[in-house]
Amino acid sequence: MARNLRKQSTQMGIGALLSGSSWFLKLSQAAQEQVRNDVSETDLVAGASLGHYGNMQHDWYGVLEGLLKWSIDGPDGRTVSLGGQSVGSWFGEGTLLRGVPRKANLIALRPTRIAQLPFETFDWLRQTEPSFNDFLLHQINERLHWFMGNYVAHRLGNADQLVARALVGLLHPLLNPQGQMKLLISQDELANLATVSRQRCNESLLALRKEGVISGEYGAVQILNLDALQRWME
């Protein structure tokens, strides 16, 4: 099953990821060349960790293929999902800038390929390329706003709102820069992101289909009405 899902996944090479990244296109030619020389790739199997709570982080990450989940596990076994990272997105700048151990887990929900830019290159860009700092400031602000909304949703929202929010989160321009309205995600993966049971996630998806907000097929959800989906999460 993992092999079939991998064939369906949106994927790209490092060159395509960089050429489709707004921050990279605004760098000087010398800085672009430095990034190309320093960036590398790593593969994760489904369920593998890119980083655990308490680990030090040494790279900035971009998603080449697959899907990652940010989450925090409580001592009683409960999990709070902070969101997902899909193809084309970059993340991990907050932990690098703070220089402290990671405060969340990064788990691959399916076979995933990650681009890694070393901290030394990341820090050099930050010190020498003003446009890169502008990008980081915008990204951190947007991510903070989204995480604050997630906190409120998990405290006050119901399962329907959590499922809708998980879908909207995967459409956020920072997480889904390609603007894809067809999300290659299974019910199990979506339930994992929304932190609800698979059965409850299925009930929410059925309600969204009935309202004409989404359509679905095996391993995918097509967003038909984004405005209506956003209203569901409020």
Side-chain angles (χ1 to χ4, degrees):
M1 179 177 294
R3 187 179 294 113
N4 291 337
L5 189 58
R6 190 180 183 93
K7 286 181 180 178
Q8 294 173 10
S9 297
T10 301
Q11 56 183 298
M12 60 175 65
I14 288 178
L17 175 64
L18 292 176
S19 64
S21 300
S22 61
W23 63 268
F24 180 79
L25 299 177
K26 294 179 181 178
L27 298 179
S28 65
Q29 185 173 351
Q32 288 184 354
E33 189 62 29
Q34 188 68 52
V35 169
R36 290 193 188 96
N37 289 337
D38 294 347
V39 68
S40 62
E41 179 181 328
T42 189
D43 291 355
L44 299 171
V45 299
S49 170
L50 183 62
H52 279 300
Y53 182 98
N55 292 161
M56 290 299 295
Q57 182 176 315
H58 304 288
D59 302 280
W60 192 43
Y61 303 121
V63 184
L64 295 163
E65 178 185 2
L67 181 65
L68 285 161
K69 179 187 75 167
W70 294 73
S71 66
I72 297 176
D73 299 327
D76 58 358
R78 291 184 299 171
T79 297
V80 174
S81 292
L82 303 177
Q85 295 285 156
S86 56
V87 175
S89 63
W90 290 86
F91 61 97
E93 62 279 346
T95 302
L96 286 178
L97 290 172
R98 294 182 69 215
V100 298
R102 175 177 301 287
K103 299 300 182 183
N105 302 311
L106 282 168
I107 307 297
L109 295 181
R110 65 175 65 164
T112 297
R113 293 166 45 240
I114 298 294
Q116 300 178 120
L117 188 69
F119 169 75
E120 292 76 13
T121 309
F122 171 89
D123 195 49
W124 175 75
L125 290 175
R126 194 173 60 83
Q127 295 181 41
T128 61
E129 298 285 326
S131 65
F132 188 65
N133 269 330
D134 290 342
F135 171 83
L136 292 179
L137 180 62
H138 172 69
Q139 175 139 306
I140 290 171
N141 183 58
E142 286 292 320
R143 201 182 302 282
L144 175 61
H145 178 76
W146 184 256
F147 283 168
M148 288 173 61
N150 269 358
Y151 174 79
V152 173
H154 280 90
R155 297 281 293 186
L156 303 177
N158 57 38
D160 288 341
Q161 290 172 308
L162 292 175
V163 170
R165 186 171 184 83
L167 287 171
V168 171
L170 291 173
L171 296 170
H172 193 291
L174 293 180
L175 307 181
N176 183 3
Q178 295 179 314
Q180 296 178 9
M181 299 299 281
K182 182 177 182 179
L183 303 174
L184 298 177
I185 186 168
S186 70
Q187 285 191 23
D188 284 336
E189 292 169 337
L190 183 58
N192 207 325
L193 285 178
T195 323
V196 300
S197 69
R198 187 182 187 282
Q199 179 180 358
R200 188 61 185 85
C201 181
N202 182 56
E203 292 173 1
S204 297
L205 292 176
L206 288 174
L208 288 168
R209 289 193 191 101
K210 184 178 180 180
E211 295 294 323
V213 178
I214 66 170
S215 63
E217 59 187 70
Y218 179 74
V221 175
Q222 177 74 45
I223 309 302
L224 303 177
N225 190 330
L226 179 57
D227 290 339
L229 182 61
Q230 291 173 325
R231 289 194 293 271
W232 267 70
M233 77 174 195
E234 296 173 351

